[in-house]
Structures are given as structure tokens and as C-alpha cells.
Amino acid sequence: MMEQSKIKRMPQRPLTPPRADKPKLSRLHKIRLRLLLGVLALILVVGGWQLYHVHTQIQQSQAQVTQAKSQLKSVEAKKQALKVQVDQLHNDDYLAKLVRQKYMVSKSGEVIFELPGTAGKLNLNGN
């Protein structure tokens, strides 16, 4: 006869899928979840508002920079014109011409004629 072994076979249980009816979240967990979602929503709203506010400030700053650059160009052009005029004021011929035009001073033997439409206007650009 056959000898029986001391090893016993365990009965096999049928494989069952995981329980579909997991325990639902407790009331405390629901409250915590809602609180966390609320805090997250608040952070997103405040962050979005800050982002919008910073964006508008950047646009205003860029507009101010553009305006300042245009003012700088006009001031530099005026500075260049004044520099040319200062250089011309160091020229004796230009000074004599300027005095003659502005104060109607003439050289000896020179006759000054005023043309209609040009009275009181100075032509200082050297023409």
C-alpha cells in the first residue's frame, strides 16, 4: 500500500475580483477633501488675480518705456540742433549775419530790402 504523505493539500478558494463595494469615505474624510479643494481653488483664484495684475503693470511699464524713448529721441535731436547753433555762434560771419537779420543792421553802403511775407522771420539755417 501506499504511504500517505504528511503534506496536506489546502483547499483552493475561487479567485474573486476585488470588492466592488469598497467602504465609502467617512464623513470626516469628505469634509477634509472639500476643505482641501476649497483651499486649492482659493489659491488658484488669488494666483490668477496676481498674474493678471502683474501683466497689466508690465504693459504699463512698457508703454512708459516707449514714451520715454520717443522723448529721448526728440530731446537728443533738439540737443544736436542746439549744439550746431552753439558752434555757429562761435563763427564771426554767422554772428554778423544774425545781427544784421534780427536788428536790421547794415554794413556801410549796404541797402536792406524787406520782402512781403518774410518780415520778422529769421532764416538762421545758413541759407
Side-chain angles (χ1 to χ4, degrees):
M1 267 210 251
M2 277 179 117
E3 242 179 77
Q4 272 192 341
S5 72
K6 293 183 181 180
I7 299 174
K8 288 190 178 179
R9 196 167 212 191
M10 298 275 300
Q12 289 183 348
R13 286 189 260 162
L15 294 175
T16 58
R19 296 180 83 185
D21 56 336
K22 288 186 180 178
K24 294 183 180 181
L25 293 176
S26 69
R27 182 180 167 136
L28 180 62
H29 286 127
K30 286 181 183 179
I31 291 173
R32 286 181 183 168
L33 181 62
R34 287 181 184 158
L35 182 65
L36 287 174
L37 289 176
V39 168
L40 179 64
L42 181 65
I43 288 172
L44 288 176
V45 167
V46 170
W49 182 80
Q50 286 289 341
L51 186 64
Y52 171 76
H53 183 66
V54 167
H55 181 69
T56 55
Q57 284 182 341
I58 288 172
Q59 285 181 334
Q60 289 175 353
S61 297
Q62 287 175 342
Q64 288 175 351
V65 166
T66 304
Q67 183 181 8
K69 284 182 180 180
S70 66
Q71 286 178 349
L72 178 64
K73 282 184 180 180
S74 66
V75 167
E76 284 181 350
K78 187 175 180 179
K79 177 184 171 185
Q80 185 65 28
L82 289 173
K83 187 175 181 179
V84 168
Q85 190 175 8
V86 166
D87 289 342
Q88 288 177 342
L89 287 174
H90 291 298
N91 184 352
D92 292 335
D93 294 333
Y94 177 78
L95 278 176
K97 181 179 177 182
L98 181 66
V99 170
R100 286 195 340 239
Q101 282 181 348
K102 189 170 183 176
Y103 298 110
M104 300 298 243
V105 176
S106 64
K107 294 180 183 177
S108 60
E110 182 182 38
V111 178
I112 299 175
F113 295 100
E114 260 189 60
L115 300 176
T118 60
K121 293 182 181 177
L122 292 177
N123 187 8
L124 300 178
N125 59 6
N127 295 332

